């Protein structure tokens, strides 16, 4: 009996152990998924200026007006013009125009080589402070002008120095050139130094000389002689008559009478 019981008990124990091991084991892990294909990196951010031609990109409004002096210094070759702008305080005028007006500013900036002629001749140093102010102002237009605007602008152009024949500045465009003339100076724009929606700076290789400063002014006509007064007779001076002959006759008659009286008296005696 014991022998039969042990025979049946042993397989049961084996079955129980097998079930226990099976239950104690964790479920078979699902097969790992294949790694996802690496996604392409996002495209590098590019500015609108790189994506489009510069002429088509709208210029972002800056926090404040640009500094003209720094622009010219960075470009190089405008030391004399910078010195004139500072000494005449026209940089303040340009700053005010850029800050207070929506019209902007255009500057024709002569190079140092452009000033060499009037420096060597002593003309620049002979100018008064007021004339130096006018000279700098003659290179500044109180309106931003692109190269396209030069084709339609009305001549003569008004500058900060004023307008009229004495401050006439004309711009004439050809196929590939922008010519600038003042009546005494004829030059062309040789480079674009800086341009945005408010400011345009163009390089010129000659100083623009306004007629009002460098051309001899016509002399004022001499005053006309006073008109003679009308002769009404009231103010005509009396011309004394020559009475010397009458006086001589009276004296002669007096002498004759005296002589007759003397002769008569002598005979009477």
């Amino acid at each position: 009996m014991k022998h039969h019981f042990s025979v049946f008990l042993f397989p049961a124990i084996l079955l129980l152990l097998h079930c226990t091991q099976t239950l104690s084991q964790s479920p078979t892990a699902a097969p790992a998924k294949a790694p996802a294909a690496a996604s392409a990196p996002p495209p590098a951010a590019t500015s609108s200026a790189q994506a489009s031609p510069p002429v088509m990109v709208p210029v972002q409004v800056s926090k404040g007006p640009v500094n003209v002096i720094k622009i010219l210094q960075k470009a190089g070759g405008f030391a004399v013009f910078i010195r004139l702008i500072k000494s005449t305080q026209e940089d303040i005028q340009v700053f005010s125009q850029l800050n207070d007006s929506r019209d902007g500013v255009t500057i024709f900036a002569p190079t140092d080589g452009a000033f060499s002629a009037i420096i060597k001749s002593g003309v620049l140093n002979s100018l008064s402070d007021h004339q130096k102010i006018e000279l700098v102002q003659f290179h500044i237009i109180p309106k931003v002008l692109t190269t396209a605007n030069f084709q339609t602008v009305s001549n003569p152009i008004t500058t900060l120095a004023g307008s009229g024949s004495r401050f006439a500045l004309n711009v004439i465009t050809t196929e590939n050139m922008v010519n600038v003339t003042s009546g005494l100076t004829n030059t062309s724009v040789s480079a674009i130094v800086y341009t945005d929606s408010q400011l345009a700076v163009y390089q010129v290789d000659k100083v623009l000389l306004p007629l009002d400063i460098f051309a001899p002014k016509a002399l004022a006509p001499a005053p006309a002689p006073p008109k003679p007064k009308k002769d009404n007779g009231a103010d005509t001076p009396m011309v004394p008559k020559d009475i010397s002959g009458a006086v001589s006759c009276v004296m002669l008659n007096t002498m004759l009478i005296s002589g007759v009286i003397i002769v008569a008296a002598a005979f009477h005696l």
Side-chain angles (χ1 to χ4, degrees), residues 5 27-28 43 48 55 59 85 96 111 119 138-139 144 146 184-187 198 201 204 213 217 246 264 269:
F5 179 78
T28 304
S48 58
V55 70
V59 178
I85 292 177
S96 176
T111 61
I119 289 177
F138 192 60
H139 291 76
V144 61
T146 64
L184 293 175
T185 305
N186 187 19
T187 185
Q198 281 292 99
V201 182
V204 291
I213 299 176
K217 298 181 180 180
L269 294 174

Side-chain angles (χ1 to χ4, degrees), residues 39-65:
S39 60
T46 58
S47 64
S48 58
Q50 294 174 342
S52 305
V55 70
M56 301 298 294
V57 176
V59 178
Q60 296 181 354
V61 180
S62 59
K63 295 182 180 180

Side-chain angles (χ1 to χ4, degrees), residues 16 78 98 182 189:
L16 179 63
F78 300 99
L98 291 172
S182 68
V189 172

Side-chain angles (χ1 to χ4, degrees), residues 207-220:
V207 180
L208 303 176
L209 306 178
L211 290 169
D212 193 69
I213 299 176
F214 295 95
K217 298 181 180 180
L219 297 176

Side-chain angles (χ1 to χ4, degrees), residues 68-82 109-113 190-194 201-205:
V68 175
I69 299 298
K70 288 184 177 180
I71 290 174
L72 293 173
Q73 287 174 338
K74 185 176 180 180
F78 300 99
V80 179
F81 192 50
I82 291 172
T111 61
D112 291 339
S190 56
I192 300 175
V193 179
Y194 180 89
V201 182
Y202 300 101
Q203 175 180 310
V204 291
D205 296 329

Side-chain angles (χ1 to χ4, degrees), residues 18-124:
H18 176 72
C19 293
T20 303
Q21 290 177 357
T22 301
L23 293 175
S24 63
Q25 291 178 355
S26 61
T28 304
K33 294 182 180 180
S39 60
T46 58
S47 64
S48 58
Q50 294 174 342
S52 305
V55 70
M56 301 298 294
V57 176
V59 178
Q60 296 181 354
V61 180
S62 59
K63 295 182 180 180
V66 295
N67 190 317
V68 175
I69 299 298
K70 288 184 177 180
I71 290 174
L72 293 173
Q73 287 174 338
K74 185 176 180 180
F78 300 99
V80 179
F81 192 50
I82 291 172
R83 186 165 65 248
L84 276 175
I85 292 177
K86 286 183 175 181
S87 64
T88 57
Q89 297 185 342
E90 285 305 307
D91 54 334
I92 300 175
Q93 176 76 7
V94 172
F95 181 90
S96 176
Q97 178 72 15
L98 291 172
N99 192 44
D100 301 335
S101 172
R102 296 182 180 180
D103 294 332
V105 173
T106 298
I107 300 176
F108 292 112
T111 61
D112 291 339
F115 278 100
S116 62
I118 63 174
I119 289 177
K120 291 178 181 178
S121 62
V123 172
L124 184 61

Side-chain angles (χ1 to χ4, degrees), residues 242-265:
D242 186 2
I243 58 173
S244 57
V247 173
S248 300
C249 293
V250 171
M251 291 180 64
L252 181 58
N253 292 335
T254 303
M255 291 175 64
L256 289 174
I257 294 171
S258 299
V260 172
I261 294 173
I262 294 171
V263 171

